[in-house]
Amino acid sequence: MKQVRTLLLLCFAVLGAVALLVTRSDAKPETVRLVAPGVWFREGDLLEQGHCNNIFIEMKDYLIVVDANFPSGARAALADARRISPKPVKYVFDTHHHGDHLYGNLLWTQAGATTLAFQAVAEELKRFEPARWLAAAKTRKDVAELNQPGPEPPKQNINEQQFVLNDGSRKVEFRHFGWAHTKGDGFVYIPKEQVLCTGDAVVNGPYNSTADAHIGNWPTVLQSADKLKVKFVLPGHGSPAGRELIAGQAQFMTELHKAVKTGVDQGKKLEDLQAGTQLPAAVSTWVSERSLKTQIKDAFEEISQGKPRGDLPH
Ligand SMILES: [Zn+2]
């Protein structure tokens, strides 16, 4: 009986802590909200700290965290994970190779977690690192302070298109649908709660980076993701949304590609396309003047050179 009471008290303490962290549905950087039972969304502060979003998934004996974040984001997310659950973080899944999603790997492995990602993430790290890490260390204290020669690659590589963790309490699927935002793009799908964590293959706002992308293939990847039964989309940047976010993001990439392709076919110059391209109002969520110029340039190079932007020199 005494044990039951202690357990109950503990449950209430945990619930209380969770209630404090749960917020309304508007943008609240660096806060945690409950999305479904045992699934929490942590919105990263992108503008000031460059953080990505994190997701915490509760299993029977442990937590899965989606994305390692930058080192400062990893520290903050780890502290939040400890607040929401006494269970240890066993797995941290890197949705792709970018620093804001992966440079915190070392902190998670030091805390006892195993980092994992699809195989192409390790390949892209070999291509781009440690150059990007060293550049980031010049402007980011959290990266410089780790005093490492480069980022720690994921400890475990997934060689298939799908990897499943199922401990009887919950099934979590790690899915690769092809090259969109990056070659190694990974999604995390929780079938029972119909939650899809997308990394940067889907963002909610003008946060699309196309530098390592395959813009022409991006909508195809999202069509595959959209075949899943999805109620909640938890993007790599920006607020959570419903399943319509997937089609919206796909439409943005389709419109971007179409507009640039039409221009290239007409022999237009990049500068003219950057000055004169207007995408339909339906995709305005993903458009900002500055990022659109860069996205047009990336699409222009991809289309005129006939190779995914990510395969072209950087
Ligand atoms: Zn990214």
Side-chain angles (χ1 to χ4, degrees):
M1 188 61 208
K2 200 176 162 212
Q3 263 180 345
V4 171
R5 232 176 58 203
T6 315
L7 197 71
L8 274 175
L9 280 172
L10 196 77
C11 282
F12 280 117
V14 171
L15 279 174
V18 171
L20 281 176
L21 287 163
V22 173
T23 58
R24 290 174 297 133
S25 62
D26 49 347
K28 286 267 173 61
E30 301 295 297
T31 61
V32 178
R33 71 183 79 165
L34 191 68
V35 177
V39 182
W40 292 269
F41 175 81
R42 182 182 195 280
E43 189 161 334
D45 173 12
L46 174 65
L47 297 181
E48 308 250 309
Q49 303 183 66
H51 291 167
C52 72
N53 297 332
N54 290 102
I55 295 96
F56 308 115
I57 305 163
E58 187 179 37
M59 305 296 277
K60 188 165 147 278
D61 301 315
Y62 62 87
L63 299 178
I64 299 168
V65 177
V66 179
D67 274 322
N69 216 318
F70 268 129
S72 59
R75 284 197 186 91
L78 184 59
D80 281 338
R82 286 183 172 147
R83 260 196 293 279
I84 56 170
S85 169
K87 297 175 188 178
V89 175
K90 190 171 177 191
Y91 295 106
V92 176
F93 177 73
D94 298 324
T95 57
H96 60 292
H97 68 277
H98 287 155
D100 55 336
H101 297 258
L102 178 141
Y103 281 4
N105 271 357
L106 180 68
L107 295 167
W108 294 103
T109 55
Q110 278 174 350
T114 299
T115 46
L116 72 157
F118 281 99
Q119 174 66 38
V121 171
E123 287 160 19
E124 291 297 73
L125 285 176
K126 278 191 196 127
R127 241 180 104 206
F128 296 117
E129 302 292 359
R132 288 181 179 182
W133 173 274
L134 297 174
K138 286 190 184 136
T139 57
R140 291 194 63 99
K141 211 168 138 227
D142 62 336
V143 174
E145 274 175 358
L146 286 184
N147 229 335
Q148 294 294 309
E152 185 180 85
K155 293 285 181 190
Q156 205 173 303
N157 292 318
I158 306 169
N159 298 306
E160 303 83 30
Q161 304 288 299
Q162 187 177 327
F163 173 71
V164 178
L165 284 174
N166 188 349
D167 67 355
S169 78
R170 193 194 288 282
K171 185 180 172 200
V172 179
E173 301 176 5
F174 301 84
R175 302 281 207 117
H176 176 67
F177 296 113
W179 186 352
H181 174 65
T182 69
K183 217 179 239 180
D185 282 348
F187 293 73
V188 182
Y189 179 55
I190 313 169
K192 186 162 170 267
E193 283 76 18
Q194 299 178 20
V195 174
L196 184 67
C197 315
T198 63
D200 290 356
V202 180
V203 294
N204 193 0
Y207 313 127
N208 275 304
S209 157
T210 44
D212 298 339
H214 187 166
I215 300 166
N217 192 53
W218 202 319
T220 311
V221 167
L222 295 183
Q223 273 157 25
S224 300
D226 213 13
K227 287 193 183 117
L228 300 167
K229 244 184 145 191
V230 176
K231 214 189 273 178
F232 306 101
V233 176
L234 307 181
H237 298 286
S239 304
R243 67 168 303 128
E244 69 284 352
L245 195 68
I246 304 170
Q249 162 91 1
Q251 199 192 341
F252 169 75
M253 288 300 162
T254 301
E255 297 292 352
L256 170 69
H257 194 269
K258 194 168 79 184
V260 176
K261 174 90 168 56
T262 307
V264 169
D265 289 348
Q266 292 169 351
K268 283 193 181 157
K269 284 204 209 106
L270 169 62
E271 295 70 32
D272 300 335
L273 282 174
Q274 283 175 317
T277 301
Q278 266 222 329
L279 298 185
V283 298
S284 61
T285 299
W286 293 271
V287 176
S288 80
E289 206 186 314
R290 222 179 107 223
S291 65
L292 186 60
K293 283 210 163 68
T294 311
Q295 289 150 356
I296 289 171
K297 183 172 182 285
D298 287 337
F300 186 88
E301 287 169 359
E302 176 171 308
I303 293 162
S304 52
Q305 298 187 48
K307 266 184 171 185
R309 175 61 193 90
D311 260 353
L312 298 169
H314 282 71

